[in-house]
Amino acid sequence: MRPLHALIDTQALRHNYRLACQAAPHSRALAVLKANAYGHGALECARALSDLAPAFGVASIEEAQALREGGIEQPIVLLEGFFEADELEWIAAQGVTCVIHSEWQLEALASAQVTQPIAVWLKCDSGMHRLGFVPDEVPDVWKRLGDMTAVGERVLMTHFATADQQESALFGHQLATVERLRQALGQPPVCWANSPATLSHPAAHGDWVRPGIMLYGADPLPRANDLSTELQPVMTLESRLIAVRELGAGEPIGYGSRYVTEQPVRVGVVACGYGDGYDRHAIDGTPVLVEGARTCVVGRVSMDMLIVDITELPEADVGARVTLWGRGPNGAILPVNEVAACCDTISYTLLTGVTARVPRRMLSST
Ligand SMILES: Cc1ncc(COP(=O)(O)O)c(C=O)c1O
C-alpha cells in the first residue's frame, strides 16, 4: 500500500472546539463542517463533536444529508441556504436550518408547503458583498419572514471580510452595522463570528459563533494570541521515503531542473505529490519533517512524489516517516500555515485540497 495517509486526531478537534467555547463563553458554537470538514471527514468530525456542539454548518443539502444519514441529529445550518425551491420539503422534514440571502429564496419560502416550519438565519450583507440583503432591506425581510407559516425560529447573521486583519476599518463598520440592526429588530438571536472573530473580537461574539478553520488547528490570526497558540493540529499528512539518492554538486532535481545542487547532497523521495493535494507551488525550502527532524522540499513537486533534502539526516533512509504537515513522530509540530506560506496560499486550501485518494485514518476520540 502507498504509505501516504492523513491522520485525523479527533481529540485535537475536541480540544480546539472547547477552545472556541472558552474564547466565546457566552455564545453557542456552531461547528463548521463544510467541504468535508475542511478535508478532515465531515461525518467522523461530526460524530467526534456530537456531545459538544449544539449545531453544525455545511454548504449544501448533500453535505447535510450525509450527516443525517450518518445519524447526526443536531440542527444543521445550510450556510448558503437552498439552491432550488424543491429542496425545502427535505429541509423541513429533516429539521435543517436555512440561511436566507436573496429575494428569490424569500419568494420560494412564502409559497412553500412544508410539514414543519423551517428555522432560518437571515443573512445581512454588512460589507463583504458576497451573500445577503443590504442593511436597509433587513427590517422588512425580517418581518416578512416572521409572517410566513413556513418559517420558524429566526436568527440574524452576517459574515466578516476582514476579521483576520490586525486593524480593519471595514470590520468595525460591519460590526456597527449589524449591531444597529440587532437593536432595531428588538435583540433577536445573532451570529456574526468566524474563527478569527471568535478568537480576537469578543464584541462580535453574539449568541452564536461559527468557527471553522480554528477547529482544525490552524491559527487564523496574522499574529497568534494566547488562545490561538493553544490550537492543536487535527490533520497530520504523513508518508514515507520510498527512495534515497546521493547526488554530486551541480545536479538538477525534478521537473524543469528548478533546483540544482550546490554541493554533494543526499535526497529522499517522498510518496506524496500534487495528485494528493500537496501544493505544486511549494518553493525550494518548504519545510517537512523526516522522523520529526526539520528539513525541506527541493525541486518541483510532481504528481505522486516530492523530493526532500536529507543531507543533514544520515539516519534517514527508505521507510523513514515524513510529515508534510501536522504532528511528527516525536511530537514535533509542523503547522500547516507554515507550509501554506511557502505555497503562496492559506491553510484552508491545503486542508480542503487533500484529495480523495489519500486515506483518512481517525485517531479515537475517547
Ligand atoms: C458563512 C461562513 N461562516 C463561517 C465560516 C468559517 O470561517 P473560518 O473557517 O474562517 O472560521 C465560513 C468559512 O468560509 C463561512 O463561509
Side-chain angles (χ1 to χ4, degrees):
M1 270 175 73
R2 208 158 164 254
L4 176 67
H5 51 245
L7 284 173
I8 307 299
D9 180 350
T10 51
Q11 281 294 2
L13 177 70
R14 289 169 65 80
H15 165 88
N16 296 336
Y17 181 84
R18 288 198 181 97
L19 217 59
C21 298
Q22 199 182 322
H26 307 297
S27 311
R28 283 182 287 173
L30 170 145
V32 178
L33 299 182
K34 63 186 176 144
N36 198 26
Y38 291 44
H40 293 67
L43 183 56
E44 292 79 4
C45 290
R47 285 182 176 148
L49 293 174
S50 62
D51 62 327
L52 296 176
F56 297 116
V58 299
S60 65
I61 65 166
E62 293 89 328
E63 291 183 349
Q65 205 163 6
L67 297 185
R68 281 285 181 266
E69 285 171 5
I72 299 300
E73 293 176 351
Q74 270 94 334
I76 300 173
V77 180
L78 296 174
L79 293 169
E80 290 157 46
F82 55 95
F83 300 100
E84 307 273 352
D86 63 9
E87 295 173 21
L88 284 170
E89 200 181 321
W90 185 86
I91 287 169
Q94 294 294 324
V96 167
T97 300
C98 222
V99 166
I100 303 297
H101 56 76
S102 292
E103 178 63 32
W104 71 266
Q105 291 178 320
L106 278 180
E107 287 163 18
L109 264 178
S111 51
Q113 304 286 326
V114 290
T115 46
Q116 56 174 333
I118 299 171
V120 297
W121 285 24
L122 169 57
K123 186 148 189 178
C124 171
D125 173 11
S126 57
M128 170 129 171
H129 300 332
R130 189 173 65 175
L131 290 182
F133 294 90
V134 298
D136 284 352
E137 294 173 316
V138 166
D140 177 56
V141 174
W142 184 261
K143 181 170 180 320
R144 284 166 66 193
L145 285 168
D147 292 340
M148 289 180 197
T149 51
V151 170
E153 190 206 356
R154 288 166 297 166
V155 170
L156 182 63
M157 78 176 287
T158 200
H159 195 57
F160 295 121
T162 57
D164 57 350
Q165 292 176 14
Q166 208 95 39
E167 301 283 336
S168 165
L170 177 58
F171 176 82
H173 166 77
Q174 287 196 264
L175 183 57
T177 301
V178 287
E179 283 296 338
R180 255 196 318 277
L181 279 171
R182 177 195 211 175
Q183 299 297 332
L185 297 178
Q187 307 269 18
V190 299
C191 178
W192 318 140
N194 53 3
S195 295
T198 300
L199 280 166
S200 65
H201 293 289
H205 285 165
D207 303 87
W208 288 90
V209 291
R210 291 193 312 278
I213 194 72
M214 69 169 289
L215 302 181
Y216 308 103
D219 186 348
L221 303 175
R223 208 177 302 150
N225 71 12
D226 285 351
L227 279 172
S228 73
T229 55
E230 289 182 41
L231 292 169
Q232 296 177 2
V234 177
M235 182 193 291
T236 292
L237 186 63
E238 189 181 79
S239 188
R240 289 186 187 270
L241 295 185
I242 58 168
V244 168
R245 315 289 311 273
E246 309 231 355
L247 299 171
E251 295 292 337
I253 291 180
Y255 282 118
S257 310
R258 182 181 75 183
Y259 188 86
V260 178
T261 59
E262 285 178 3
Q263 57 203 20
V265 293
R266 222 171 139 249
V267 295
V269 180
V270 183
C272 179
Y274 63 78
D276 305 298
Y278 193 92
D279 199 321
R280 185 175 172 277
H281 297 102
I283 57 171
D284 296 327
T286 301
V288 297
L289 306 178
V290 175
E291 290 296 346
R294 262 184 185 246
T295 180
C296 66
V297 170
V298 284
R300 198 163 275 158
V301 173
S302 355
M303 186 185 292
D304 312 305
M305 288 170 278
L306 56 84
I307 298 172
V308 295
D309 185 348
I310 51 169
T311 313
E312 303 298 323
L313 305 171
E315 307 284 290
D317 213 333
V318 170
R321 258 200 278 179
V322 179
T323 308
L324 287 318
W325 59 70
R327 196 179 286 277
N330 57 357
I333 288 178
L334 175 54
V336 65
N337 277 344
E338 265 193 60
V339 180
C342 292
C343 304
D344 193 21
T345 190
I346 53 175
S347 58
Y348 299 69
T349 60
L350 294 188
L351 295 173
T352 58
V354 175
T355 58
R357 80 170 177 180
V358 179
R360 271 65 167 177
R361 303 227 171 107
M362 297 290 148
L363 297 175
S364 139
S365 67
T366 51

